[in-house]
Amino acid sequence: MATLPLYAQFINLFAAFLLLLAFAMLAQRRVLSLINLFAMQGFALAVSTAIVAYGTHQSHLYWSAGLTLVLKVLLLPWLLHRLIRQLDVKWDVEGLINIPTTMLVGIVLVVFSFNLALPIAQLSHTVTRATLGIAMASVMLSFLMMITRRKAIPQVVGFLAMENGLFFAATSATYGMPMVVELGIALDVLVGMIILGVFFFQIREQFDSLDLKHLETLKENE
Amino acid sequence: MTPTEFASQLLQLGLALALAPLLVGWINQCRAWLQNKSAPSLLLPYRTIRKLFMKDAVVALQASPIFRVAPYVVFGAMCCAAAIIPSLATDLPFGRAADTIALVGLFALARVFIALAAMDIGTAFGSLGARREMFVGFLAEPALLMVLFTASLISGSTSLPTIVDVFAHRELAIYPSLAFAGVAFAMVSLAENARIPVDNPATHLELTMIHEAMILEYSARHLALIEWASSLKLFNYSCLGIALFFPVGIGVAGAGWTALVAAAPVLVAKLAVGGFALALVETLSAKMRIFRAPEFLGTAFLLAVLAMLVNLLLGS
């Protein structure tokens, strides 16, 4: 086994950590801990992006790392915490299927995405290409989280975590997207978050709860 | 088999038999210190075993031969396991005879016999303990196998001496998969050795017992053998963890006598640190409800599977 340079080993370590955090979010019962885990995932992403920037001398990646740090570790968790305070919703997160089953489905998804990523990763020439599988797996796990959760806030956290996975995929496959695109996505996420926050209030106004199964009855009330 | 191999095998087995009760005593002492109690003597487990050997054994009227044989089988299985796991040196004649899968099989054999003996008497607590033990065991075993498979994937062999040789000689590199496997192994060891998050070794409340409930009917030399065997099991798990994750200091193949002599103090130091860590974990955590155990061990299994998958993907 050829030994990788030290920075590549650290990237692998943080990639594995990212995957672990994705599973931890999937298994988390409490909404506050879920948001803290999301912030930790953002932090791991920022650190690994900074290491990629250091190892490959791609200075624009430092900006991406800084952007990730400000947006996903500080701003978005703060917004979410504020939303929870205002809505006064500290309930436990209820899943549609129980947690051990979700974990097993998660493992199957990880195997699937690792297999899917292997041929794609061979087309790439970056030093981080091996981590593409982990990036895809965290996207899939976030999807799973959005599917299996019933309440609005965990679904939004799942959506944001999916963006984390996509960002990591871009970094590992092509050393990141152009700065303009990255800024655009960051703004999108921020604006999306604010709009969703307004939605939460509207949903609660209408149904007195954030349970999204109430939305299914909209049609019958016409 | 060269004389060196034979000597290292004998020395290792003797050391395991002699040090296992000391490890339990050390853990109890650390735990007492951490909980601000006055600590029992370090040699208390030895005195308990000696006292039990001097007593007359009482066996229930309806006990079948399984009940009498079980302590010897359990003790024998643990001795075999202690002979396989390279704690001092990797030049072991026994190590070549059995690989990691056989090792898991040995642990399973001991578990099956002690559960059978507990059900044999027909008391309520015995069969309750046996069922709980099998419940925990069937969840812990796959996770343990996955941890060992991860180590086998990295080193390319399921034989423990080869794994330790490869791990001791590799270049210093970060292995995320080994970190995951290490955490999974720690969780499995806690469950398998009836330590606090899953079972309480010091409990006097029969309804919450797992391991203790199974041996309630044993007395005298049978009980002494079982106590000794469970301390050996703890010793074996500790040595397995040390061999897989901290192999520095173990005499590798062809290292000779000096390495063998030098390995013993290193092993004792590592065990002392490990025992303190175990006491710390036991002090900091509370016992879980029994139906939380699947979640605890499911997490261990998940970590072990992730370790294997990450190793396949990243090659590290």
Side-chain angles (χ1 to χ4, degrees), chain B residues 22-132:
Chain B
L22 191 68
L23 179 65
V24 173
W26 165 248
I27 290 168
N28 288 340
Q29 206 168 41
C30 285
R31 202 163 50 163
W33 284 336
L34 286 168
Q35 295 170 0
N36 248 346
K37 297 172 184 167
S38 56
S41 160
L42 203 57
L43 303 177
L44 188 65
Y46 292 108
R47 291 199 196 119
T48 311
I49 288 172
R50 190 169 135 256
K51 179 188 78 185
L52 287 172
F53 266 121
M54 278 165 26
K55 288 192 172 182
D56 283 333
V58 179
V59 178
L61 276 177
Q62 61 273 57
S64 76
I66 287 186
F67 185 79
R68 291 162 193 276
V69 166
Y72 301 100
V73 174
V74 172
F75 188 73
M78 287 308 149
C79 285
C80 282
I84 293 170
I85 297 166
S87 52
L88 282 184
T90 57
D91 277 332
L92 300 173
F94 260 66
R96 272 177 238 123
D99 62 358
T100 49
I101 300 166
L103 181 71
V104 177
L106 273 176
F107 287 136
L109 178 76
R111 177 162 49 234
V112 166
F113 261 87
I114 203 163
L116 277 180
M119 289 165 111
D120 183 60
I121 293 291
T123 58
F125 285 129
S127 48
L128 178 139
R131 271 181 280 156
R132 286 180 179 172

Side-chain angles (χ1 to χ4, degrees), chain A residues 1 3 9-10 12-13 16 19-20 23 29 103 107 110-111 114 130 134, chain B residues 171 173-176 180 292 295 302-303 305-306 309-310 313-316:
Chain A
M1 192 191 313
T3 40
Q9 290 177 19
F10 268 109
N12 282 350
L13 182 69
L19 187 63
L20 191 65
F23 265 104
R29 281 210 178 88
M103 295 298 217
I107 289 181
V110 171
V111 173
F114 278 15
I134 288 184
Chain B
E171 288 170 69
I174 302 169
Y175 280 83
F180 285 3
R292 282 280 176 162
E295 239 165 71
L302 176 82
L303 276 171
V305 171
L306 278 187
L309 290 175
V310 165
L313 183 78
L314 301 179
S316 63

Side-chain angles (χ1 to χ4, degrees), chain A residues 80-129:
Chain A
L80 282 166
H81 273 297
R82 212 185 57 158
L83 260 180
I84 284 178
R85 248 199 332 275
Q86 286 173 350
L87 290 165
D88 196 25
V89 278
K90 282 183 185 162
W91 19 250
D92 288 356
V93 181
E94 294 160 36
L96 289 176
I97 41 182
N98 68 0
I99 285 172
T101 320
T102 320
M103 295 298 217
L104 284 181
V105 177
I107 289 181
V108 173
L109 279 180
V110 171
V111 173
F112 172 73
S113 39
F114 278 15
N115 265 320
L116 200 64
L118 269 182
I120 304 172
Q122 270 156 14
L123 296 175
S124 172
H125 298 288
T126 58
V127 70
T128 51
R129 61 181 179 276

Side-chain angles (χ1 to χ4, degrees), chain A residues 8-9 11 29 52 76 90 112 115 124 164 213 218 220:
Chain A
Q9 290 177 19
I11 293 166
R29 281 210 178 88
V52 174
L76 284 181
K90 282 183 185 162
F112 172 73
N115 265 320
S124 172
N164 273 354
K213 75 168 185 267
L218 277 178
E220 293 162 19

